[in-house]
Each structure stands twice: as structure tokens, then as C-alpha cells.
Amino acid sequence: MMGATLAELGAALAATLLDAAPIALVVFGFQALVLRRRPAHLPRVMIGAVYVVLGLALFRLGLEWSLLPIGTDLSDRLTAPALAAARDGAVAWRDFLWLYVFAATLGFATTMVEPALTAIANRVGELTGGTLSPLTLRLVVAAGVSLGLLFGTLRIVTGLPLPWAVAGLVGLIALLVALAPRQLVPLAFDCGGFATSVVTVPMVAAFAVGVATAIPGRDPLTDGFGVILFALLSPVASVLAFAVMLERGKQGPGPGGTDAVQAATRSG
């Protein structure tokens, strides 16, 4: 058992080193050929690089051993009762209540622990002088991802074509862009990328593919994938909607309104 584990860890380390090699070539190539100087604090940089490679290798194993199997197993178990009760193979979307609840809570929980979102939220809090708190931004983004995964799961169950679903969400975002303060629109679009990072994507992808595999008439490739797109776009809509509410709710320039956020951002 220990030998097999060490072999898998060695394979993961080798694969991670191979994947990280292009990045290392670019960074150190520019240092040597363009800047013509060695990086500051080189020993610390090298130690940090070792930590990064080891961490990525362990994360790769964690995905294969834990997150991906758990996501698949949960989707199978949550769809089984409704499928067993279905008559003549007819699947009613309303029979999958616990599946929807799990999708929504999974999106919220994984987003709240996303390291990229946490780091960016702290930075936004600094730039706005605390007017937009990191926790508030994380909650708004997590709520958006939660709704996005709920909608994506509902689309798989009902068989709604992906282009129609995406078109509706993009139309909503376009409307909110027209209503939201211009200074916060770029932040809203970036929040989608912050929210769909190393924690959210593997778990959600495994869950969605499992749902599409379990439900009759769904294709794991065409129906299971695409859910991450809703997790990417829905935080854009939630942050824009939050900005619109701040704009509508303020009674003029002052603390708590978007004027304070915009002013602090410009001064930062």
C-alpha cells in the first residue's frame, strides 16, 4: 500500500514538474536574457518553487483520490431516489429537490474557501479603504456561484439547450452592466474568474458529469460540461446586481454608497 502511494506521488510530482517547466522557462529566461540579473532573494524563491511543485502534486492526488470521486458519488446518490420513483422513464424536474439544494450549497461553500477570491477580496478591501469589505464581496460572489450551479443543474435535469441558457444569462448581465456604476463593472467581470479556481472547478465538474451520466437521455459530454460556465458568469451578475442596489439605495454621496467605493478606488 505504501509503495503504491509513493509511486503515485512520484508520478504526480513528475507530471507537475513537466507542467510547470514552461512557466519556469519563461520566468527565468526573461531574467537571464532580457533583464540580465538574478532574481532577488534567489534561495527563498527556489524554496518557494519547491513548495509550489509539491503542493500542486499533492493537490493533484487529492483531486483524484477525494474530490472527484466524492462529487461523482454524491450526484449518483442524490439522483437515485427520483430516478427510482420515475414511471415509464419520465423524469420530472421537481423530483430532484435535494439535488438542487446540494448544488446551491456546494457552489456557496466552495467559493467561500477559494484562495484566489479571498486574496482579491482582501485587496479590494484595501483599495476601497474598507468601504467594500472582503467578507461582503466574498458573500456576494458565493451567492452568485450558488445560483449559477443551481441553474446549471436545473438545465441538465430539464434538458434546456445550453445556447438558450447562456443567452439568457448574458442578456441579464448586459442589462445589469447598463445599470451598474461604471467603476465597478470591471471588478464584477473579474470576480467570475476568481470564483472558479482550484477548489470549485474540479468538484463542480465531477458533480455535473455525474448528474448527466445518471439521468436518462443526457450526454455526459454535451450536458455534463458547461456548468462551470454558469459558475463563471453568475458571479458577474450577482456583483453587478449588488452594485446596482448600492447605487439605488444611496441617498447621495456618503459612506456606504458606491460614491465612497469609487472615490476610494480612484485614490488607491
Side-chain angles (χ1 to χ4, degrees):
M1 181 65 178
M2 181 61 69
T5 301
L6 291 177
E8 290 190 55
L9 178 58
L13 280 171
T16 303
L17 284 171
L18 185 62
D19 293 339
I23 302 175
L25 287 174
V26 170
V27 172
F28 288 106
F30 265 79
Q31 286 282 347
L33 302 177
V34 178
L35 300 180
R36 299 180 182 277
R37 54 184 298 185
R38 56 182 290 178
H41 311 292
L42 183 59
R44 185 174 182 180
V45 170
M46 298 305 296
I47 293 174
V50 172
Y51 288 164
V52 168
V53 171
L54 181 59
L56 289 175
L58 292 173
F59 182 73
R60 186 191 296 259
L61 285 182
L63 289 180
E64 296 176 358
W65 291 359
S66 179
L67 290 184
L68 296 181
I70 285 177
T72 302
D73 182 65
L74 282 171
S75 61
D76 290 340
R77 292 176 180 271
L78 289 170
T79 54
L83 293 175
R87 296 180 179 179
D88 300 327
V91 177
W93 66 270
R94 64 182 66 89
D95 295 334
F96 294 89
L97 174 61
W98 286 114
L99 184 69
Y100 305 141
V101 172
F102 176 74
T105 52
L106 174 68
F108 188 88
T110 55
T111 305
M112 287 298 293
V113 299
E114 274 291 355
L117 177 62
T118 301
I120 294 301
N122 291 334
R123 180 59 176 158
V124 170
E126 295 173 2
L127 290 174
T128 60
T131 304
L132 183 58
S133 72
L135 180 59
T136 299
L137 181 59
R138 290 170 61 197
L139 288 172
V140 171
V141 174
V145 175
S146 177
L147 292 175
L149 292 187
L150 173 61
F151 183 51
T153 304
L154 185 62
R155 186 198 69 82
I156 295 176
V157 174
T158 59
L160 179 68
L162 181 62
W164 288 100
V166 173
L169 186 53
V170 170
L172 174 62
I173 291 174
L175 176 62
L176 291 172
V177 166
L179 298 175
R182 293 292 181 267
Q183 288 84 350
L184 297 183
V185 171
L187 173 63
F189 275 91
D190 283 347
C191 282
F194 303 148
T196 51
S197 187
V198 294
V199 178
T200 304
V201 171
M203 189 75 174
V204 170
F207 167 74
V209 171
V211 172
T213 303
I215 297 179
R218 303 293 180 265
D219 185 276
L221 185 61
T222 58
D223 294 315
F225 291 96
V227 177
I228 300 299
L229 179 61
F230 296 105
L232 178 69
L233 293 177
S234 55
V236 180
S238 65
V239 174
L240 288 173
F242 179 71
V244 170
M245 288 189 294
L246 284 180
E247 182 75 6
R248 298 290 185 231
K250 69 184 181 72
Q251 299 298 323
T258 54
D259 282 344
V261 176
Q262 296 164 13
T265 303
R266 287 193 296 268
S267 65

